[in-house]
Amino acid sequence: MLEQIHEFFRCFVTQQPSDAPISSQPQTTPDYVRWFRQAAPYINLHRGKTFVLMFGGEALLTENFQHIIHDIALLHALGIRLVLVHGARPQINENLQQLQIETPFLQHRRITTRQALPAVLNAVGSIRLQIEALLSMGVANSPMFGARIDVVSGNFVTAKPYGIRDGVDFQLTGEVRSIDVEAMQRNLANENIIVLGPTGYSTTGEVFNLRAEEVATRVASDLHADKLIFLGEQKGVIDHQGHFIRELMAKDAQQFLQHMVDQSSENYLHLSGAVQACQNGVSRCHLISYHLDGALLGELFTRDGTGTLVSDLRFEEVRQANIHDVGGLLRLLRPLEEQGILVYRSRERLENEIEHFAVIERDGTILACAALYPIPTSGNELKSAEIACVAVHPEYRKSNRGAQVLAFLQQRAQRQNIKVLYLLTTHTGHWFMEQGFSKVGIEQLPAARQAFYNFQRNSHVYQKMI
């Protein structure tokens, strides 16, 4: 399906016909149409937003990199403001090997000597030219046909020496001092794609070798970018048991980093960059694979994505409910129960079921709540649970607190190996669809839950696979 999405989107943006007429592909056309309709909200959501994309020099050596460039052009055509940050480690290593120059590493960072600097600049300059050339392609019958893209690069990054660490002078290895945000914003407003390499310039005219991951993280933070996207070898974060992690909160990702042994690994650098960016105001960071054709489109325009999402949702505000919260829950829930939006719950019932609830509390007031009830299953039914009693204080309904407490319970469900979430609602179906739920029939409910369905309320049923 991802390949179909990829080809369809390319054909749509460039207004080029696919290789075969639509009439000869009746079995795939409905999939294209259905996916395009599902992608429409994301297209509208991303238009005018600023995304920073970072990929290492390894990505340029893959056969899929040309497809990545095509998809970058596609994002540009959809009105997304783009900053590309590239690395150059393998290209620098190759240049140094040809010159028979060795550069030691300390603290997982290259010590850049003056002798080695020309090899660094040659690699970075060659990559920049390669990217600019690929973004300038206009060959007929290619995804780039008719795509006019202006690419700019320059001295947007001011650097400073990394200095002397543990008695060792890192010489021309540096770190980011500042970003020329005003100049970058001006170029982005003019619909230019900005390309940055792992180099920066000092106020004295020196050039420093930087980590591309640090450049990308700082640029995204200072620009207040909407997304920071890392393209790496892996499709995202893999835990110690080999399981792929689809979503991580920034604070959970920070704890995950503490257990990663190799702090020089690409995955460590990407995840730590995502955590830092989230802490500095970038709401969403993505880790995806540069090997998977169409991974960028799948991550941005499908509900489940293709990689790992690191979010800045502040889960320190969300906690497990306790018996002392019952009074606050009653005050929050009663008005909604009186309106018939929620099912009535007595104080005794709330006390008995309090372990199922999560709440957001501030200064003694419950601002939001929701409950997770496991559903008994049998036979071939997937392990499932019901989300219930989602409520937000009237003064805070324009905030994201409902989404926060819902995501908190989804994380709990995943830890319990629950595969499907259900919910029943009479009023707020559209909001739940925005949170990734899909409307289904009553018959989709597990048998144990169907038996207690209240036909008098006639609630709509929504489902989410997790």
Side-chain angles (χ1 to χ4, degrees), residues 44-78:
N44 184 58
L45 179 67
H46 297 331
R47 186 179 297 112
K49 300 298 177 62
T50 300
F51 294 176
V52 177
L53 276 65
M54 186 271 153
F55 46 86
E58 297 83 359
L60 286 93
L61 303 177
T62 65
E63 294 181 359
N64 192 48
F65 187 70
Q66 185 165 311
H67 292 157
I68 293 173
I69 287 292
H70 293 163
D71 294 342
I72 288 171
L74 187 154
L75 298 182
H76 178 264
L78 291 174

PDB file of all heavy atoms in Angstrom, residues 44-78:
ATOM      1  N   ASN A  44      -3.931  19.624   4.600  1.00  0.00           N
ATOM      2  CA  ASN A  44      -4.364  20.943   5.066  1.00  0.00           C
ATOM      3  C   ASN A  44      -3.633  21.336   6.350  1.00  0.00           C
ATOM      4  O   ASN A  44      -3.238  22.495   6.525  1.00  0.00           O
ATOM      5  CB  ASN A  44      -5.870  20.937   5.310  1.00  0.00           C
ATOM      6  CG  ASN A  44      -6.409  22.301   5.696  1.00  0.00           C
ATOM      7  OD1 ASN A  44      -6.258  23.267   4.959  1.00  0.00           O
ATOM      8  ND2 ASN A  44      -7.032  22.390   6.862  1.00  0.00           N
ATOM      9  N   LEU A  45      -3.420  20.372   7.243  1.00  0.00           N
ATOM     10  CA  LEU A  45      -2.768  20.640   8.522  1.00  0.00           C
ATOM     11  C   LEU A  45      -1.322  21.076   8.341  1.00  0.00           C
ATOM     12  O   LEU A  45      -0.832  21.964   9.048  1.00  0.00           O
ATOM     13  CB  LEU A  45      -2.824  19.385   9.400  1.00  0.00           C
ATOM     14  CG  LEU A  45      -2.161  19.471  10.775  1.00  0.00           C
ATOM     15  CD1 LEU A  45      -2.918  20.439  11.677  1.00  0.00           C
ATOM     16  CD2 LEU A  45      -2.096  18.082  11.415  1.00  0.00           C
ATOM     17  N   HIS A  46      -0.602  20.461   7.383  1.00  0.00           N
ATOM     18  CA  HIS A  46       0.827  20.718   7.220  1.00  0.00           C
ATOM     19  C   HIS A  46       1.123  21.952   6.369  1.00  0.00           C
ATOM     20  O   HIS A  46       2.255  22.444   6.397  1.00  0.00           O
ATOM     21  CB  HIS A  46       1.506  19.507   6.581  1.00  0.00           C
ATOM     22  CG  HIS A  46       1.445  18.264   7.418  1.00  0.00           C
ATOM     23  ND1 HIS A  46       1.395  18.296   8.792  1.00  0.00           N
ATOM     24  CD2 HIS A  46       1.428  16.939   7.067  1.00  0.00           C
ATOM     25  CE1 HIS A  46       1.351  17.055   9.252  1.00  0.00           C
ATOM     26  NE2 HIS A  46       1.372  16.229   8.240  1.00  0.00           N
ATOM     27  N   ARG A  47       0.154  22.435   5.614  1.00  0.00           N
ATOM     28  CA  ARG A  47       0.417  23.563   4.716  1.00  0.00           C
ATOM     29  C   ARG A  47       0.861  24.789   5.515  1.00  0.00           C
ATOM     30  O   ARG A  47       0.230  25.187   6.488  1.00  0.00           O
ATOM     31  CB  ARG A  47      -0.818  23.895   3.890  1.00  0.00           C
ATOM     32  CG  ARG A  47      -0.567  24.975   2.830  1.00  0.00           C
ATOM     33  CD  ARG A  47      -1.811  25.259   2.021  1.00  0.00           C
ATOM     34  NE  ARG A  47      -2.246  24.096   1.258  1.00  0.00           N
ATOM     35  CZ  ARG A  47      -3.361  23.418   1.496  1.00  0.00           C
ATOM     36  NH1 ARG A  47      -4.158  23.783   2.491  1.00  0.00           N
ATOM     37  NH2 ARG A  47      -3.683  22.380   0.762  1.00  0.00           N
ATOM     38  N   GLY A  48       1.988  25.386   5.088  1.00  0.00           N
ATOM     39  CA  GLY A  48       2.503  26.576   5.751  1.00  0.00           C
ATOM     40  C   GLY A  48       3.326  26.298   6.993  1.00  0.00           C
ATOM     41  O   GLY A  48       3.850  27.229   7.613  1.00  0.00           O
ATOM     42  N   LYS A  49       3.470  25.027   7.375  1.00  0.00           N
ATOM     43  CA  LYS A  49       4.244  24.669   8.557  1.00  0.00           C
ATOM     44  C   LYS A  49       5.729  24.530   8.198  1.00  0.00           C
ATOM     45  O   LYS A  49       6.091  24.344   7.033  1.00  0.00           O
ATOM     46  CB  LYS A  49       3.728  23.361   9.158  1.00  0.00           C
ATOM     47  CG  LYS A  49       2.265  23.420   9.596  1.00  0.00           C
ATOM     48  CD  LYS A  49       2.043  24.453  10.697  1.00  0.00           C
ATOM     49  CE  LYS A  49       0.577  24.582  11.091  1.00  0.00           C
ATOM     50  NZ  LYS A  49       0.034  23.349  11.629  1.00  0.00           N
ATOM     51  N   THR A  50       6.573  24.604   9.204  1.00  0.00           N
ATOM     52  CA  THR A  50       8.016  24.505   9.024  1.00  0.00           C
ATOM     53  C   THR A  50       8.514  23.160   9.534  1.00  0.00           C
ATOM     54  O   THR A  50       8.307  22.826  10.702  1.00  0.00           O
ATOM     55  CB  THR A  50       8.747  25.635   9.776  1.00  0.00           C
ATOM     56  OG1 THR A  50       8.310  26.898   9.269  1.00  0.00           O
ATOM     57  CG2 THR A  50      10.257  25.520   9.592  1.00  0.00           C
ATOM     58  N   PHE A  51       9.138  22.397   8.635  1.00  0.00           N
ATOM     59  CA  PHE A  51       9.703  21.101   8.990  1.00  0.00           C
ATOM     60  C   PHE A  51      11.214  21.150   8.784  1.00  0.00           C
ATOM     61  O   PHE A  51      11.689  21.656   7.763  1.00  0.00           O
ATOM     62  CB  PHE A  51       9.143  19.978   8.111  1.00  0.00           C
ATOM     63  CG  PHE A  51       7.662  19.706   8.289  1.00  0.00           C
ATOM     64  CD1 PHE A  51       7.023  18.768   7.490  1.00  0.00           C
ATOM     65  CD2 PHE A  51       6.905  20.372   9.235  1.00  0.00           C
ATOM     66  CE1 PHE A  51       5.686  18.500   7.629  1.00  0.00           C
ATOM     67  CE2 PHE A  51       5.547  20.125   9.387  1.00  0.00           C
ATOM     68  CZ  PHE A  51       4.943  19.182   8.576  1.00  0.00           C
ATOM     69  N   VAL A  52      11.964  20.619   9.735  1.00  0.00           N
ATOM     70  CA  VAL A  52      13.410  20.446   9.593  1.00  0.00           C
ATOM     71  C   VAL A  52      13.680  18.961   9.392  1.00  0.00           C
ATOM     72  O   VAL A  52      13.283  18.136  10.222  1.00  0.00           O
ATOM     73  CB  VAL A  52      14.161  20.975  10.828  1.00  0.00           C
ATOM     74  CG1 VAL A  52      15.661  20.711  10.694  1.00  0.00           C
ATOM     75  CG2 VAL A  52      13.905  22.469  11.017  1.00  0.00           C
ATOM     76  N   LEU A  53      14.324  18.610   8.266  1.00  0.00           N
ATOM     77  CA  LEU A  53      14.641  17.218   7.936  1.00  0.00           C
ATOM     78  C   LEU A  53      16.147  17.021   8.036  1.00  0.00           C
ATOM     79  O   LEU A  53      16.915  17.752   7.414  1.00  0.00           O
ATOM     80  CB  LEU A  53      14.187  16.860   6.516  1.00  0.00           C
ATOM     81  CG  LEU A  53      12.734  16.442   6.294  1.00  0.00           C
ATOM     82  CD1 LEU A  53      11.783  17.589   6.584  1.00  0.00           C
ATOM     83  CD2 LEU A  53      12.535  15.940   4.871  1.00  0.00           C
ATOM     84  N   MET A  54      16.561  16.037   8.803  1.00  0.00           N
ATOM     85  CA  MET A  54      17.984  15.741   8.938  1.00  0.00           C
ATOM     86  C   MET A  54      18.267  14.329   8.447  1.00  0.00           C
ATOM     87  O   MET A  54      17.553  13.389   8.788  1.00  0.00           O
ATOM     88  CB  MET A  54      18.405  15.885  10.408  1.00  0.00           C
ATOM     89  CG  MET A  54      19.905  15.738  10.652  1.00  0.00           C
ATOM     90  SD  MET A  54      20.397  14.020  10.956  1.00  0.00           S
ATOM     91  CE  MET A  54      22.095  14.043  10.387  1.00  0.00           C
ATOM     92  N   PHE A  55      19.288  14.166   7.625  1.00  0.00           N
ATOM     93  CA  PHE A  55      19.717  12.846   7.169  1.00  0.00           C
ATOM     94  C   PHE A  55      21.233  12.830   7.103  1.00  0.00           C
ATOM     95  O   PHE A  55      21.876  13.824   6.745  1.00  0.00           O
ATOM     96  CB  PHE A  55      19.109  12.485   5.813  1.00  0.00           C
ATOM     97  CG  PHE A  55      19.172  13.584   4.785  1.00  0.00           C
ATOM     98  CD1 PHE A  55      20.293  13.765   3.988  1.00  0.00           C
ATOM     99  CD2 PHE A  55      18.102  14.453   4.635  1.00  0.00           C
ATOM    100  CE1 PHE A  55      20.344  14.794   3.042  1.00  0.00           C
ATOM    101  CE2 PHE A  55      18.150  15.481   3.697  1.00  0.00           C
ATOM    102  CZ  PHE A  55      19.273  15.651   2.900  1.00  0.00           C
ATOM    103  N   GLY A  56      21.829  11.710   7.468  1.00  0.00           N
ATOM    104  CA  GLY A  56      23.273  11.587   7.456  1.00  0.00           C
ATOM    105  C   GLY A  56      23.812  11.337   6.060  1.00  0.00           C
ATOM    106  O   GLY A  56      23.062  11.091   5.109  1.00  0.00           O
ATOM    107  N   GLY A  57      25.140  11.387   5.942  1.00  0.00           N
ATOM    108  CA  GLY A  57      25.764  11.107   4.656  1.00  0.00           C
ATOM    109  C   GLY A  57      25.502   9.705   4.165  1.00  0.00           C
ATOM    110  O   GLY A  57      25.560   9.438   2.957  1.00  0.00           O
ATOM    111  N   GLU A  58      25.167   8.788   5.086  1.00  0.00           N
ATOM    112  CA  GLU A  58      24.857   7.415   4.694  1.00  0.00           C
ATOM    113  C   GLU A  58      23.630   7.353   3.805  1.00  0.00           C
ATOM    114  O   GLU A  58      23.530   6.514   2.906  1.00  0.00           O
ATOM    115  CB  GLU A  58      24.645   6.543   5.939  1.00  0.00           C
ATOM    116  CG  GLU A  58      25.865   6.398   6.826  1.00  0.00           C
ATOM    117  CD  GLU A  58      26.063   7.554   7.790  1.00  0.00           C
ATOM    118  OE1 GLU A  58      25.242   8.507   7.758  1.00  0.00           O
ATOM    119  OE2 GLU A  58      27.025   7.515   8.570  1.00  0.00           O
ATOM    120  N   ALA A  59      22.666   8.244   4.056  1.00  0.00           N
ATOM    121  CA  ALA A  59      21.431   8.232   3.273  1.00  0.00           C
ATOM    122  C   ALA A  59      21.695   8.522   1.806  1.00  0.00           C
ATOM    123  O   ALA A  59      21.033   7.969   0.919  1.00  0.00           O
ATOM    124  CB  ALA A  59      20.443   9.250   3.844  1.00  0.00           C
ATOM    125  N   LEU A  60      22.661   9.382   1.530  1.00  0.00           N
ATOM    126  CA  LEU A  60      22.962   9.747   0.146  1.00  0.00           C
ATOM    127  C   LEU A  60      23.567   8.595  -0.633  1.00  0.00           C
ATOM    128  O   LEU A  60      23.584   8.620  -1.871  1.00  0.00           O
ATOM    129  CB  LEU A  60      23.905  10.952   0.099  1.00  0.00           C
ATOM    130  CG  LEU A  60      23.281  12.295   0.453  1.00  0.00           C
ATOM    131  CD1 LEU A  60      23.435  12.609   1.919  1.00  0.00           C
ATOM    132  CD2 LEU A  60      23.865  13.409  -0.387  1.00  0.00           C
ATOM    133  N   LEU A  61      24.081   7.597   0.059  1.00  0.00           N
ATOM    134  CA  LEU A  61      24.710   6.449  -0.604  1.00  0.00           C
ATOM    135  C   LEU A  61      23.715   5.353  -0.952  1.00  0.00           C
ATOM    136  O   LEU A  61      24.076   4.367  -1.586  1.00  0.00           O
ATOM    137  CB  LEU A  61      25.812   5.877   0.305  1.00  0.00           C
ATOM    138  CG  LEU A  61      26.911   6.863   0.725  1.00  0.00           C
ATOM    139  CD1 LEU A  61      27.894   6.182   1.674  1.00  0.00           C
ATOM    140  CD2 LEU A  61      27.637   7.421  -0.488  1.00  0.00           C
ATOM    141  N   THR A  62      22.450   5.513  -0.546  1.00  0.00           N
ATOM    142  CA  THR A  62      21.443   4.486  -0.817  1.00  0.00           C
ATOM    143  C   THR A  62      20.725   4.752  -2.133  1.00  0.00           C
ATOM    144  O   THR A  62      20.645   5.890  -2.604  1.00  0.00           O
ATOM    145  CB  THR A  62      20.397   4.442   0.311  1.00  0.00           C
ATOM    146  OG1 THR A  62      19.664   5.679   0.325  1.00  0.00           O
ATOM    147  CG2 THR A  62      21.072   4.240   1.662  1.00  0.00           C
ATOM    148  N   GLU A  63      20.192   3.701  -2.726  1.00  0.00           N
ATOM    149  CA  GLU A  63      19.421   3.837  -3.959  1.00  0.00           C
ATOM    150  C   GLU A  63      18.134   4.616  -3.730  1.00  0.00           C
ATOM    151  O   GLU A  63      17.583   5.220  -4.655  1.00  0.00           O
ATOM    152  CB  GLU A  63      19.098   2.453  -4.533  1.00  0.00           C
ATOM    153  CG  GLU A  63      20.322   1.666  -5.000  1.00  0.00           C
ATOM    154  CD  GLU A  63      19.939   0.320  -5.580  1.00  0.00           C
ATOM    155  OE1 GLU A  63      18.721  -0.001  -5.593  1.00  0.00           O
ATOM    156  OE2 GLU A  63      20.849  -0.410  -6.007  1.00  0.00           O
ATOM    157  N   ASN A  64      17.648   4.609  -2.504  1.00  0.00           N
ATOM    158  CA  ASN A  64      16.376   5.260  -2.206  1.00  0.00           C
ATOM    159  C   ASN A  64      16.487   6.772  -2.059  1.00  0.00           C
ATOM    160  O   ASN A  64      15.471   7.457  -1.985  1.00  0.00           O
ATOM    161  CB  ASN A  64      15.784   4.670  -0.914  1.00  0.00           C
ATOM    162  CG  ASN A  64      14.349   5.070  -0.689  1.00  0.00           C
ATOM    163  OD1 ASN A  64      13.514   4.988  -1.597  1.00  0.00           O
ATOM    164  ND2 ASN A  64      14.039   5.534   0.517  1.00  0.00           N
ATOM    165  N   PHE A  65      17.702   7.317  -2.051  1.00  0.00           N
ATOM    166  CA  PHE A  65      17.831   8.749  -1.783  1.00  0.00           C
ATOM    167  C   PHE A  65      17.162   9.593  -2.864  1.00  0.00           C
ATOM    168  O   PHE A  65      16.612  10.658  -2.583  1.00  0.00           O
ATOM    169  CB  PHE A  65      19.298   9.152  -1.641  1.00  0.00           C
ATOM    170  CG  PHE A  65      19.461  10.588  -1.208  1.00  0.00           C
ATOM    171  CD1 PHE A  65      19.120  10.979   0.071  1.00  0.00           C
ATOM    172  CD2 PHE A  65      19.910  11.557  -2.096  1.00  0.00           C
ATOM    173  CE1 PHE A  65      19.228  12.303   0.477  1.00  0.00           C
ATOM    174  CE2 PHE A  65      20.032  12.878  -1.699  1.00  0.00           C
ATOM    175  CZ  PHE A  65      19.692  13.249  -0.408  1.00  0.00           C
ATOM    176  N   GLN A  66      17.200   9.127  -4.095  1.00  0.00           N
ATOM    177  CA  GLN A  66      16.532   9.894  -5.168  1.00  0.00           C
ATOM    178  C   GLN A  66      15.034   9.967  -4.914  1.00  0.00           C
ATOM    179  O   GLN A  66      14.406  10.998  -5.178  1.00  0.00           O
ATOM    180  CB  GLN A  66      16.814   9.260  -6.531  1.00  0.00           C
ATOM    181  CG  GLN A  66      16.258  10.069  -7.693  1.00  0.00           C
ATOM    182  CD  GLN A  66      16.847   9.633  -9.019  1.00  0.00           C
ATOM    183  OE1 GLN A  66      18.052   9.498  -9.170  1.00  0.00           O
ATOM    184  NE2 GLN A  66      15.976   9.397  -9.987  1.00  0.00           N
ATOM    185  N   HIS A  67      14.459   8.890  -4.383  1.00  0.00           N
ATOM    186  CA  HIS A  67      13.038   8.916  -4.032  1.00  0.00           C
ATOM    187  C   HIS A  67      12.783   9.891  -2.881  1.00  0.00           C
ATOM    188  O   HIS A  67      11.758  10.572  -2.849  1.00  0.00           O
ATOM    189  CB  HIS A  67      12.555   7.516  -3.636  1.00  0.00           C
ATOM    190  CG  HIS A  67      12.540   6.559  -4.777  1.00  0.00           C
ATOM    191  ND1 HIS A  67      12.598   5.195  -4.610  1.00  0.00           N
ATOM    192  CD2 HIS A  67      12.493   6.769  -6.112  1.00  0.00           C
ATOM    193  CE1 HIS A  67      12.571   4.600  -5.789  1.00  0.00           C
ATOM    194  NE2 HIS A  67      12.504   5.544  -6.715  1.00  0.00           N
ATOM    195  N   ILE A  68      13.704   9.938  -1.929  1.00  0.00           N
ATOM    196  CA  ILE A  68      13.566  10.884  -0.814  1.00  0.00           C
ATOM    197  C   ILE A  68      13.543  12.305  -1.345  1.00  0.00           C
ATOM    198  O   ILE A  68      12.726  13.138  -0.919  1.00  0.00           O
ATOM    199  CB  ILE A  68      14.714  10.691   0.197  1.00  0.00           C
ATOM    200  CG1 ILE A  68      14.590   9.329   0.887  1.00  0.00           C
ATOM    201  CG2 ILE A  68      14.710  11.813   1.231  1.00  0.00           C
ATOM    202  CD1 ILE A  68      15.769   8.978   1.777  1.00  0.00           C
ATOM    203  N   ILE A  69      14.427  12.600  -2.295  1.00  0.00           N
ATOM    204  CA  ILE A  69      14.450  13.936  -2.901  1.00  0.00           C
ATOM    205  C   ILE A  69      13.127  14.234  -3.591  1.00  0.00           C
ATOM    206  O   ILE A  69      12.575  15.343  -3.483  1.00  0.00           O
ATOM    207  CB  ILE A  69      15.617  14.051  -3.898  1.00  0.00           C
ATOM    208  CG1 ILE A  69      16.942  14.142  -3.136  1.00  0.00           C
ATOM    209  CG2 ILE A  69      15.448  15.270  -4.796  1.00  0.00           C
ATOM    210  CD1 ILE A  69      17.134  15.422  -2.352  1.00  0.00           C
ATOM    211  N   HIS A  70      12.581  13.260  -4.301  1.00  0.00           N
ATOM    212  CA  HIS A  70      11.278  13.458  -4.956  1.00  0.00           C
ATOM    213  C   HIS A  70      10.202  13.784  -3.931  1.00  0.00           C
ATOM    214  O   HIS A  70       9.353  14.656  -4.149  1.00  0.00           O
ATOM    215  CB  HIS A  70      10.892  12.204  -5.742  1.00  0.00           C
ATOM    216  CG  HIS A  70      11.778  11.936  -6.915  1.00  0.00           C
ATOM    217  ND1 HIS A  70      11.817  10.708  -7.539  1.00  0.00           N
ATOM    218  CD2 HIS A  70      12.656  12.734  -7.567  1.00  0.00           C
ATOM    219  CE1 HIS A  70      12.696  10.771  -8.534  1.00  0.00           C
ATOM    220  NE2 HIS A  70      13.206  11.980  -8.576  1.00  0.00           N
ATOM    221  N   ASP A  71      10.244  13.091  -2.791  1.00  0.00           N
ATOM    222  CA  ASP A  71       9.229  13.325  -1.763  1.00  0.00           C
ATOM    223  C   ASP A  71       9.435  14.671  -1.078  1.00  0.00           C
ATOM    224  O   ASP A  71       8.472  15.319  -0.664  1.00  0.00           O
ATOM    225  CB  ASP A  71       9.246  12.190  -0.743  1.00  0.00           C
ATOM    226  CG  ASP A  71       8.822  10.862  -1.356  1.00  0.00           C
ATOM    227  OD1 ASP A  71       8.202  10.894  -2.438  1.00  0.00           O
ATOM    228  OD2 ASP A  71       9.113   9.806  -0.773  1.00  0.00           O
ATOM    229  N   ILE A  72      10.671  15.103  -0.959  1.00  0.00           N
ATOM    230  CA  ILE A  72      10.946  16.445  -0.429  1.00  0.00           C
ATOM    231  C   ILE A  72      10.355  17.494  -1.369  1.00  0.00           C
ATOM    232  O   ILE A  72       9.736  18.468  -0.925  1.00  0.00           O
ATOM    233  CB  ILE A  72      12.464  16.640  -0.244  1.00  0.00           C
ATOM    234  CG1 ILE A  72      12.959  15.807   0.943  1.00  0.00           C
ATOM    235  CG2 ILE A  72      12.804  18.117  -0.050  1.00  0.00           C
ATOM    236  CD1 ILE A  72      14.465  15.753   1.084  1.00  0.00           C
ATOM    237  N   ALA A  73      10.541  17.293  -2.683  1.00  0.00           N
ATOM    238  CA  ALA A  73       9.944  18.210  -3.652  1.00  0.00           C
ATOM    239  C   ALA A  73       8.424  18.205  -3.546  1.00  0.00           C
ATOM    240  O   ALA A  73       7.769  19.252  -3.682  1.00  0.00           O
ATOM    241  CB  ALA A  73      10.372  17.826  -5.063  1.00  0.00           C
ATOM    242  N   LEU A  74       7.874  17.044  -3.279  1.00  0.00           N
ATOM    243  CA  LEU A  74       6.419  16.922  -3.118  1.00  0.00           C
ATOM    244  C   LEU A  74       5.935  17.724  -1.905  1.00  0.00           C
ATOM    245  O   LEU A  74       4.942  18.447  -1.974  1.00  0.00           O
ATOM    246  CB  LEU A  74       6.085  15.433  -2.963  1.00  0.00           C
ATOM    247  CG  LEU A  74       4.635  14.994  -2.932  1.00  0.00           C
ATOM    248  CD1 LEU A  74       4.532  13.566  -3.416  1.00  0.00           C
ATOM    249  CD2 LEU A  74       4.081  15.096  -1.535  1.00  0.00           C
ATOM    250  N   LEU A  75       6.642  17.606  -0.790  1.00  0.00           N
ATOM    251  CA  LEU A  75       6.271  18.373   0.402  1.00  0.00           C
ATOM    252  C   LEU A  75       6.331  19.868   0.117  1.00  0.00           C
ATOM    253  O   LEU A  75       5.468  20.633   0.556  1.00  0.00           O
ATOM    254  CB  LEU A  75       7.206  18.019   1.563  1.00  0.00           C
ATOM    255  CG  LEU A  75       7.204  16.571   2.047  1.00  0.00           C
ATOM    256  CD1 LEU A  75       8.148  16.411   3.223  1.00  0.00           C
ATOM    257  CD2 LEU A  75       5.809  16.109   2.418  1.00  0.00           C
ATOM    258  N   HIS A  76       7.349  20.273  -0.623  1.00  0.00           N
ATOM    259  CA  HIS A  76       7.474  21.686  -0.999  1.00  0.00           C
ATOM    260  C   HIS A  76       6.281  22.115  -1.840  1.00  0.00           C
ATOM    261  O   HIS A  76       5.734  23.207  -1.657  1.00  0.00           O
ATOM    262  CB  HIS A  76       8.783  21.888  -1.768  1.00  0.00           C
ATOM    263  CG  HIS A  76       9.004  23.294  -2.240  1.00  0.00           C
ATOM    264  ND1 HIS A  76       8.677  23.698  -3.517  1.00  0.00           N
ATOM    265  CD2 HIS A  76       9.497  24.387  -1.615  1.00  0.00           C
ATOM    266  CE1 HIS A  76       8.973  24.986  -3.649  1.00  0.00           C
ATOM    267  NE2 HIS A  76       9.480  25.422  -2.526  1.00  0.00           N
ATOM    268  N   ALA A  77       5.864  21.253  -2.764  1.00  0.00           N
ATOM    269  CA  ALA A  77       4.726  21.575  -3.625  1.00  0.00           C
ATOM    270  C   ALA A  77       3.430  21.687  -2.832  1.00  0.00           C
ATOM    271  O   ALA A  77       2.506  22.397  -3.237  1.00  0.00           O
ATOM    272  CB  ALA A  77       4.579  20.510  -4.714  1.00  0.00           C
ATOM    273  N   LEU A  78       3.363  21.024  -1.694  1.00  0.00           N
ATOM    274  CA  LEU A  78       2.169  21.076  -0.844  1.00  0.00           C
ATOM    275  C   LEU A  78       2.196  22.243   0.131  1.00  0.00           C
ATOM    276  O   LEU A  78       1.342  22.333   1.015  1.00  0.00           O
ATOM    277  CB  LEU A  78       2.017  19.756  -0.081  1.00  0.00           C
ATOM    278  CG  LEU A  78       1.657  18.535  -0.935  1.00  0.00           C
ATOM    279  CD1 LEU A  78       1.680  17.275  -0.081  1.00  0.00           C
ATOM    280  CD2 LEU A  78       0.309  18.703  -1.605  1.00  0.00           C
TER     281      LEU A  78
END
